[in-house]
């Protein structure tokens, strides 16, 4: 035990004596989450829209002025026919077109329902999603207002059509993705680098020639990074909560426990990488390419797994971050508990044990 | 009694044979030197002894422990200083030493007496990171770290390479002191002049041990006649001497040229030959061979 | 007759903050001379060598290398010197020939000249059989000899050798010195640092540095006589020890 504490102390010195790296490790999660947060939830202000009013009655005029006076939108062009819509979009001048069906007020009075079509340029999917959400909200407000005024029940149903990117999923869910990405980065990258650094410096030779057993070396290496990663996970959750109001609907303890499990998995991977590489450079490259890219691309973080071609979907199934991101999303957003997440947790746990076993076996007690 | 026994150890990397059927033994409390240039196989040999590498064939035991079966025991009783400076650059002198003490399950306090003599020299800088020490101080710190667990056998791989002559002499003084405390020391060096500081030496070249003996005996076994020759034009002297007797070895040695041959050389004939070739101030004298002379001669026998 | 000077150093001072690495050095090196630069680790040899190579500028002093001023004409200096150290010499992942061609190219030699001279050099060094082998596969002694040849490939006026023979076997070490003598015979000035004290005796003149100052300068036999010593090793130990006791 004394040996273990001595080892952890040494690792602690390495981390503390390198303030630049430490700063990056602590500041990166916050910087990342702010960056992602603001890139995705861009406030809209005076977005250019067009209105095609087939009806031109009292109510459509009222709705139009409500939308335009909200401060979020400004009218760029009046559009007179369906053909002009595409042309306006192609010129790139406008982001959204609102279409009122003919005899809007009449229909609303007679049938109690009328249709507004909202067409958005979803080549910028996040923006499109935002604009339509805002528009819908304004129309809904108006609809409630007139319903309470009149005794008649009237319903205006906005029909949203996304152009160019029909499926628009998970744009807000960056917090779970960032947690996965950063835990992977810090845990796997930093452990693999810190082990290969000892190989490069030649200190590994002295450690191997000492009675220190591999288990102590590995646990001693991993412990400080486990702590550091855990602090980072908490930092991300706090920033998410206070800056972007990302809620944690489920059990916070379960969430933290799942984070620990994922960190454990990433650390095992880091050790595995370090057993297969000799230089810090190689360890860094492998960590970035083999771990980071799949975490970003093949985990459902940015691109939904459901939309991928079948072979890629199978590939996603063996990516640990996929399960972790799903777990975190379910707990944070849907308030899920272990009853719904046991299978994902079990898979993650199995993967951790597998990587740990392989890396322990591959860890050499001699030089080559 | 043999404390370290090495029998027919061989090791290859691919097609390159690093070590060829090497055998020798070291007695308890002996200061044993392995002398040879880079690529002689010294590091490979030491890594096999410290259980860091597996030999392709052969066996060895240290203090009665087999290097293969009892590698854990050997790691307890051996102090090892690799060729490359291998301490943590960002840790201070004291932190490095404390760390190496802990991993061997001991403390600085417990074995302070042993390292006191060296540690006192570097103690004034104990809060300085190891990376900012001078070459000589680094060497002393590395030695302290290798000694902190009171090893029975000390294995030092080229501890004096790249270190200046003053620090080198100091370092050898320290080694003699540890030898007197009863620690068995195996040390390698490319500097031939350091051989005379060892009890016994093995002269190594290209994976083979050419000779093992005390430095005095190695010199005694040097067969050829050895002349030290000087003249006004040393560079040309080298050329002319090589032409004089094709079966000889002619090498620069400090301010003289060492001329050796298995045949007897008539000094006055040689003197005349040189004078006829335009050399003045020719001085010829018989010389006592150094270990380097012996090494050069052995290299020739082995090729 | 006044001998032609290859390097003149007058009152060279180099400070790093409050630390004085070179304390008022003054010396000359003559054309075609083999000049040994000795000193303990940290005595300031490397610092001085870097200044002379134009890699670092001095704090003060007048320094002239190969006829050029170290403050204003560093590029001209670099074109007229060669440099070789034990650590950085050649590319391990290039072949023998590719290494020569690369260095020839750096110094702006014409490809035709490079080819011709590379062939001559390879033949002279006896490397014909390994001409197209990767450098990593040839023995250390050959590499060191090749590194030296490459350092003087562009016929520099001065060549700086920083511990060129570390770890090399005694035969190769002497062959290496044969090459140094040949180069000096061609008029190349050689400035060399070493930890082998017998090598110090092969130099025409040596300069011993202690704690940033020049403690002694002269021919090896002069120094040995002055210090009442047997050989250069004793001279060095006496001078360096004296400094430590102060």
């Amino acid at each position: 035990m004394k040996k273990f504490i001595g080892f952890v102390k040494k690792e602690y010195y390495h981390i503390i004596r390198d303030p630049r790296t430490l700063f990056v490790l602590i500041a990166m999660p916050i910087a990342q989450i702010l960056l992602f947060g603001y890139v995705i939830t861009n406030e809209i202000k005076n977005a250019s829209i067009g209105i095609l009013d087939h009806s031109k009655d009292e109510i459509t005029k009222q709705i139009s002025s409500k939308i335009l006076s909200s401060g979020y939108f400004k009218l760029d062009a009046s559009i007179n026919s369906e053909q002009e819509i595409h042309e306006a979009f192609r010129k790139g001048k406008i982001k959204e077109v609102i279409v009122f069906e003919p005899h809007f007020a009449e229909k609303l009075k007679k049938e109690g329902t009328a249709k507004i079509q909202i067409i958005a340029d979803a080549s910028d999917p996040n923006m499109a999603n935002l604009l339509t959400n805002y528009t819908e909200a304004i129309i809904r407000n108006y609809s409630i207002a007139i319903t309470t005024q009149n005794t008649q029940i009237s319903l205006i149903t906005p029909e949203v059509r996304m152009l160019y990117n029909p499926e628009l999923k998970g744009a807000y869910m960056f917090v779970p993705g960032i947690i996965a990405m950063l835990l992977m980065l810090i845990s796997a990258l930093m452990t693999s680098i810190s082990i290969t650094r000892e190989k490069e410096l030649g200190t590994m030779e002295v450690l191997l020639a000492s009675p220190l057993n591999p288990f102590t070396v590995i646990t001693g290496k991993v412990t400080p990074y486990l702590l550091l990663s855990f602090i980072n996970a908490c930092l991300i959750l706090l920033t998410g909560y206070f800056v972007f109001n990302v809620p944690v609907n489920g059990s916070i303890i379960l969430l933290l426990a799942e984070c620990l499990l994922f960190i454990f998995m990433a650390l095992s991977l880091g050790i595995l990488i370090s057993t297969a590489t000799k230089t810090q450079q190689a360890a860094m490259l492998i960590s970035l390419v083999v771990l980071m890219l799949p975490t970003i691309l093949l985990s459902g973080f940015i691109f939904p797994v459901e939309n991928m071609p079948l072979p890629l979907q199978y590939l996603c199934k063996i990516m640990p971050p996929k399960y972790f991101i799903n777990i975190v999303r379910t707990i944070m957003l849907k308030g899920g508990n272990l009853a719904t997440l046991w299978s994902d947790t079990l898979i993650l746990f199995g993967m951790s044990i597998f990587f740990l076993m392989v890396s322990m076996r591959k860890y050499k007690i001699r030089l080559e | 009694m043999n404390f370290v026994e090495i029998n027919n150890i061989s090791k290859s990397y691919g097609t390159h044979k690093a070590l060829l059927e090497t055998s020798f033994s070291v007695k308890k409390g002996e200061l044993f030197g392995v002398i040879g240039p880079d690529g002689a196989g010294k590091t490979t040999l030491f890594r096999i002894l410290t259980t860091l590498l597996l030999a392709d064939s052969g066996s060895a035991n240290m203090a009665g422990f087999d290097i293969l079966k009892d590698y854990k025991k050997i790691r307890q009783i051996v102090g090892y200083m690799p060729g490359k400076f291998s301490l943590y650059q960002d840790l201070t002198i004291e932190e490095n030493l404390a760390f190496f003490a802990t991993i061997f399950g001991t403390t600085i306090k417990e074995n302070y007496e042993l390292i006191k003599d060296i540690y006192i020299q570097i103690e004034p800088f104990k809060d300085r990171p190891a990376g900012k020490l001078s070459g000589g101080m680094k060497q002393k710190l590395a030695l302290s770290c290798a000694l902190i667990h009171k090893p029975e056998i000390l294995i030092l791989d080229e501890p004096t390479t790249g270190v200046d002559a003053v620090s080198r002499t100091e370092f050898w003084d320290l080694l003699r002191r540890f030898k007197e405390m009863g620690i068995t020391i195996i040390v390698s060096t490319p500097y031939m002049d350091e051989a005379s500081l060892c009890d016994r030496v093995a002269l190594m070249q290209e994976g083979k041990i050419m000779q093992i003996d005390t430095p005095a005996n190695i010199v005694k076994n040097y067969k050829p006649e050895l002349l030290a020759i000087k003249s006004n034009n040393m560079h040309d002297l080298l050329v002319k001497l090589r032409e004089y007797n094709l079966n000889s070895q002619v090498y620069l040695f400090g301010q003289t040229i060492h001329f050796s041959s298995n045949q007897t050389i008539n000094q006055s004939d040689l003197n005349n030959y040189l004078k006829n070739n335009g050399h003045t101030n020719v001085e010829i004298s018989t010389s006592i061979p150094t270990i380097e002379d012996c090494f050069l001669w052995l290299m020739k026998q082995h090729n | 007759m006044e001998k032609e000077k290859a390097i003149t150093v007058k009152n060279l001072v180099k400070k790093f903050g409050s630390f004085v690495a070179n304390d008022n050095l003054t010396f000359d090196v003559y054309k075609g001379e083999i000049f040994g630069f000795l000193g303990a680790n940290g005595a300031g040899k490397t610092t001085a060598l870097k200044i002379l190579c134009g890699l670092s500028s001095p704090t003060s002093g007048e320094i002239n290398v190969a006829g050029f001023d170290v403050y204003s004409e560093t590029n001209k200096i670099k074109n007229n010197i060669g440099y070789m150290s034990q650590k950085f010499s050649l590319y391990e992942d290039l072949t023998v020939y590719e290494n020569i061609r690369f260095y020839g190219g750096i110094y702006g030699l014409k490809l035709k000249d490079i080819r011709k001279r590379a062939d001559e050099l390879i033949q002279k060094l006896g490397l014909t059989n390994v001409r197209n082998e990767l450098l990593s596969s040839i023995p250390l002694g050959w590499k060191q000899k090749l590194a030296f040849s490459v350092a003087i490939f562009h016929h520099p006026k001065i060549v700086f050798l920083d511990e060129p023979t570390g770890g090399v076997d005694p035969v190769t070490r002497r062959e290496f010195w044969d090459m140094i003598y040949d180069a000096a015979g061609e008029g190349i000035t050689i400035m060399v640092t070493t930890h082998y004290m017998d090598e110090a005796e092969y130099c025409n003149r040596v300069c011993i540095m202690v704690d940033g100052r020049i403690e002694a300068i002269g021919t090896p036999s002069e120094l040995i006589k002055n210090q009442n010593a047997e050989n250069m090793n004793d001279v060095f130990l006496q001078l360096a020890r004296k400094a430590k006791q102060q």
Side-chain angles (χ1 to χ4, degrees):
Chain A
M1 197 58 198
K2 258 193 190 150
K3 291 182 186 179
F4 171 74
I5 292 171
F7 204 100
V8 172
K9 209 159 122 193
K10 172 193 82 96
E11 289 301 318
Y12 165 78
Y13 288 141
H14 289 321
I15 296 171
I16 284 294
R17 301 271 156 85
D18 188 2
R20 219 176 305 163
T21 310
L22 187 65
F23 174 76
V24 171
L25 288 183
I26 298 288
M28 188 170 55
I30 299 174
Q32 291 260 19
I33 199 164
L34 292 179
L35 219 65
F36 269 85
Y38 282 116
V39 168
I40 293 175
T41 62
N42 222 341
E43 277 291 310
I44 47 168
K45 230 180 185 179
N46 290 330
S48 302
I49 58 167
I51 292 175
L52 174 56
D53 196 343
H54 289 299
S55 176
K56 290 196 171 121
D57 55 45
E58 189 101 339
I59 294 184
T60 60
K61 274 179 191 155
Q62 267 180 30
I63 295 176
S64 297
S65 75
K66 266 256 151 48
I67 289 173
L68 293 174
S69 62
S70 67
Y72 300 124
F73 303 101
K74 82 168 193 273
L75 188 65
D76 190 81
S78 257
I79 292 164
N80 299 318
S81 70
E82 305 277 349
Q83 284 81 18
E84 286 175 41
I85 295 178
H86 275 282
E87 207 153 302
F89 272 126
R90 263 191 221 113
K91 278 185 191 149
K93 271 162 112 187
I94 56 169
K95 301 277 180 215
E96 187 187 70
V97 172
I98 298 165
V99 186
F100 295 98
E101 65 175 332
H103 317 294
F104 190 86
E106 220 170 289
K107 266 194 179 163
L108 194 62
K109 233 173 241 169
K110 274 191 201 151
E111 298 165 25
T113 173
K115 277 183 184 156
I116 301 175
Q117 194 180 32
I118 304 168
I119 306 169
D121 176 0
S123 58
D124 178 357
N126 302 317
M127 182 55 98
N129 201 13
L130 269 177
L131 291 172
T132 55
N133 280 342
Y134 274 68
T135 319
E136 272 185 87
I138 295 167
I139 297 169
R140 213 173 296 124
N141 276 342
Y142 178 79
S143 159
I144 292 165
I146 56 167
T147 323
T148 44
Q149 267 171 29
N150 302 354
T151 43
Q152 258 177 312
I153 303 155
S154 52
L155 213 60
I156 302 168
T157 23
E159 179 195 276
V160 180
R161 235 179 96 199
M162 291 290 180
L163 284 181
Y164 310 127
N165 178 8
E167 285 234 48
L168 198 71
K169 274 186 161 181
Y172 285 114
M173 303 188 179
F174 57 91
V175 170
I178 289 182
I179 296 181
M181 192 173 89
L182 286 170
L183 293 189
M184 197 70 144
L185 188 76
I186 293 165
S187 310
L189 184 68
M190 294 312 289
T191 38
S192 62
I193 284 185
S194 96
I195 294 178
T196 42
R197 189 200 291 135
E198 298 224 21
K199 286 190 189 175
E200 270 182 27
L201 282 176
T203 45
M204 196 46 116
E205 201 172 333
V206 187
L207 292 186
L208 285 174
S210 80
L212 217 53
N213 63 29
F215 187 72
T216 314
V217 176
I218 288 182
T219 48
K221 274 272 164 207
V222 151
T223 308
Y225 290 105
L226 187 85
L227 255 160
L228 203 64
S229 305
F230 190 68
I231 292 173
N232 261 318
C234 296
L235 269 177
I236 299 168
L237 288 176
L238 285 173
T239 324
Y241 182 76
F242 285 110
V243 182
F244 299 107
N245 301 320
V246 180
V248 180
N249 290 325
S251 154
I252 184 100
I253 294 177
L254 178 64
L255 182 62
L256 293 179
E258 297 276 6
C259 284
L260 272 180
L261 179 63
F262 185 69
I263 294 171
F264 181 61
M265 195 282 319
L267 291 171
S268 317
L269 261 177
I271 298 164
L272 189 62
I273 290 174
S274 69
T275 57
T277 48
K278 273 188 182 162
T279 62
Q280 294 184 60
Q281 223 179 5
M284 187 137 75
L285 216 70
I286 291 188
S287 301
L288 285 176
V289 175
V290 178
L291 299 182
M292 288 309 295
L293 283 182
T295 306
I296 297 171
L297 301 176
L298 296 178
S299 63
F301 171 19
I302 291 176
F303 307 108
V305 175
E306 294 87 334
N307 289 358
M308 292 177 191
L310 212 57
L312 273 186
Q313 285 196 31
Y314 284 123
L315 197 62
C316 291
K317 283 211 163 68
I318 57 163
M319 296 293 160
K322 171 189 178 295
Y323 298 97
F324 180 65
I325 289 178
N326 187 37
I327 289 171
V328 176
R329 277 181 186 164
T330 312
I331 297 176
M332 287 178 75
L333 305 168
K334 298 185 198 155
N337 55 31
L338 206 56
T340 49
L341 291 169
W342 66 271
S343 65
D344 281 2
T345 309
L346 207 64
I347 290 173
L348 214 53
F349 190 72
M351 283 175 164
S352 312
I353 297 292
F354 173 75
F355 289 134
L356 195 69
M357 297 289 274
V358 177
S359 53
M360 284 285 204
R361 275 198 80 138
K362 282 201 73 182
Y363 184 86
K364 293 180 190 88
I365 55 160
R366 300 173 202 276
L367 297 164
E368 293 321 313
Chain B
M1 189 195 104
N2 288 336
F3 202 53
V4 177
E5 281 259 22
I6 295 152
N7 297 312
N8 294 318
I9 292 258
S10 296
K11 175 84 185 171
S12 313
Y13 301 104
T15 54
H16 173 65
K17 293 190 172 74
L19 216 50
L20 282 160
E21 305 205 333
T22 303
S23 304
F24 65 88
S25 56
V26 180
K27 293 186 196 69
K28 190 164 170 54
E30 202 172 14
L31 176 49
F32 189 87
V34 178
I35 318 275
D38 286 4
K42 298 178 305 235
T43 301
T44 306
L45 173 66
F46 282 14
R47 283 180 171 167
I48 289 171
L49 292 183
T50 49
T51 74
L52 290 171
L53 283 180
L54 292 174
D56 296 340
S57 62
S59 66
N61 69 71
M62 312 239 292
F65 298 116
D66 183 78
I67 50 162
L68 199 63
K69 276 188 306 203
D70 310 317
Y71 76 94
K72 283 186 178 157
K73 297 242 174 59
I74 288 178
R75 289 178 183 189
Q76 284 282 1
I77 58 155
V78 169
Y80 173 49
M81 195 173 143
K84 216 160 125 194
F85 175 71
S86 49
L87 297 170
Y88 298 101
Q89 314 263 352
D90 52 344
L91 264 56
T92 65
I93 289 186
E94 206 179 13
E95 286 162 356
N96 265 299
L97 196 57
F99 173 69
F100 285 103
T102 352
I103 65 169
F104 282 95
T106 178
T107 57
I108 300 183
K109 233 187 207 163
E110 212 169 302
N111 292 322
Y112 187 73
E113 271 310 301
L114 185 67
I115 56 155
K116 203 175 107 191
D117 289 336
I118 334 171
Y119 194 56
I120 268 176
Q121 301 175 34
I122 50 175
E123 208 166 12
F125 315 97
K126 68 177 193 232
D127 293 324
R128 196 182 284 185
K132 291 196 174 139
L133 298 173
S134 73
M137 287 214 283
K138 278 181 186 169
Q139 232 62 4
K140 282 173 193 159
L141 175 59
L143 183 62
S144 304
C145 290
L147 275 166
I148 192 66
H149 62 291
K150 226 176 169 177
E152 291 178 46
I153 304 170
L154 199 53
I155 294 184
L156 310 169
D157 193 6
E158 298 203 9
T160 52
T161 294
V163 176
D164 65 75
V166 177
S167 303
R168 257 159 59 194
T169 355
E170 283 176 6
F171 196 85
W172 279 94
D173 288 345
L174 286 171
L175 288 190
R176 291 227 70 97
R177 225 175 290 169
F178 292 120
K179 174 200 142 62
E180 273 149 31
M181 291 181 188
I183 298 174
T184 308
I185 302 171
I186 304 177
V187 56
S188 70
T189 175
Y191 298 101
M192 305 280 155
D193 55 334
E194 291 179 348
S196 57
L197 304 165
C198 302
D199 295 334
R200 281 195 309 143
V201 293
L203 302 183
M204 267 189 107
Q205 169 77 5
E206 288 174 348
K208 279 175 283 191
I209 292 187
M210 301 188 292
Q211 198 172 18
I212 304 175
D213 216 326
T214 61
N217 279 340
I218 285 180
V219 170
K220 215 184 278 172
N221 286 336
Y222 183 79
K223 292 279 160 31
E225 195 176 343
L226 182 69
L227 298 175
I229 303 169
K230 258 181 174 179
S231 86
N232 64 328
N233 184 345
M234 295 299 278
H235 189 48
D236 186 62
L237 183 62
L238 209 54
V239 181
K240 291 287 154 14
L241 285 172
R242 281 192 186 134
E243 285 166 3
Y244 181 68
N245 182 334
L246 296 173
N247 219 351
S248 64
Q249 273 191 293
V250 182
Y251 290 115
L252 265 171
F253 254 87
Q255 289 177 294
T256 60
I257 287 172
H258 280 189
F259 181 80
S260 63
S261 173
N262 288 328
Q263 298 153 325
T264 34
I265 302 154
N266 187 320
Q267 287 194 21
S268 58
D269 280 358
L270 180 61
N271 202 340
N272 287 334
Y273 163 78
L274 292 175
K275 274 183 183 150
N276 291 340
N277 277 289
H279 283 265
T280 55
N281 301 332
V282 178
E283 287 176 37
I284 302 176
S285 58
T286 43
S287 178
I288 302 158
T290 63
I291 295 288
E292 194 154 352
D293 286 302
C294 302
F295 197 95
L296 287 166
W297 183 60
L298 287 167
M299 270 179 86
K300 200 186 170 196
Q301 312 304 102
H302 277 256
N303 284 337
Chain C
M1 190 191 85
E2 182 80 346
K3 276 186 268 184
E4 198 184 329
K5 283 175 189 165
I7 300 173
T8 57
V9 176
K10 229 183 234 170
N11 305 322
L12 163 64
V13 176
K14 175 74 184 181
K15 287 182 190 168
F16 296 103
S18 62
F19 175 71
V20 184
N22 288 154
D23 188 2
N24 219 6
L25 309 183
T26 300
F27 63 90
D28 296 323
V29 180
Y30 302 108
K31 188 171 181 287
E33 189 174 37
I34 303 173
F35 190 81
F37 215 49
L38 311 180
N41 303 112
K45 287 172 299 179
T46 313
T47 311
L49 221 55
K50 274 188 184 157
I51 290 171
L52 295 179
C53 292
L55 296 174
S56 149
S57 58
T59 310
S60 67
E62 279 173 49
I63 301 114
N64 192 293
V65 177
F68 302 106
D69 182 59
V70 290
Y71 294 98
S72 54
E73 298 172 304
T74 43
N75 277 335
K76 283 185 188 150
I77 290 179
K78 285 177 189 170
N79 270 322
N80 283 285
I81 61 168
Y83 178 78
M84 172 201 165
S85 84
Q86 191 194 347
K87 278 163 233 142
F88 168 75
S89 43
L90 302 165
Y91 293 97
E92 295 276 311
D93 52 353
L94 294 185
T95 66
V96 170
Y97 175 72
E98 284 162 351
N99 265 296
I100 301 174
R101 196 183 58 191
F102 173 73
Y103 280 97
I106 282 186
Y107 287 102
L109 300 182
K110 283 192 199 109
L111 195 60
K112 212 171 72 188
D113 291 345
I114 295 177
R115 242 181 237 148
K116 200 174 129 238
R117 270 151 77 176
D119 286 339
E120 284 169 14
L121 179 62
I122 288 170
Q123 204 164 14
K124 201 175 104 194
L125 292 174
L127 297 177
T128 318
N129 288 331
V130 293
R131 186 180 193 274
N132 295 318
E133 298 275 331
L134 290 185
L135 203 74
S136 52
S137 67
I138 73 170
L140 176 83
W142 296 8
K143 280 185 213 170
Q144 296 296 81
K145 283 194 261 180
L146 179 63
F148 178 70
S149 309
V150 164
I152 57 169
F153 191 66
H154 59 293
H155 298 313
K157 289 185 180 150
I158 305 165
V159 62
F160 294 92
L161 308 173
D162 195 4
E163 286 183 46
T165 54
V168 172
D169 72 73
V171 173
T172 313
R173 212 146 66 79
R174 287 174 172 80
E175 288 169 356
F176 195 89
W177 273 91
D178 283 354
M179 291 175 65
I180 293 181
Y181 274 109
D182 285 341
E186 285 166 26
I188 297 178
T189 307
I190 285 142
M191 194 153 176
V192 56
T193 74
T194 178
H195 284 309
Y196 291 97
M197 285 306 139
D198 58 327
E199 287 186 353
E201 300 186 9
Y202 309 154
C203 300
N204 297 123
R205 279 193 312 145
V206 293
C207 149
I208 297 181
M209 280 191 73
V210 177
D211 293 338
R213 284 171 290 107
I214 292 179
E215 196 59 48
I217 189 164
T219 65
S221 46
E222 273 168 22
L223 293 184
I224 291 170
K225 210 186 280 169
N226 288 347
Q227 294 293 323
N228 231 339
E230 250 179 53
N231 51 35
M232 277 308 289
N233 197 37
D234 291 344
V235 173
F236 184 77
L237 288 181
Q238 279 179 31
L239 291 172
R241 280 231 175 92
K242 201 171 71 193
K244 271 205 175 163
Q245 279 155 8
Q246 278 166 5

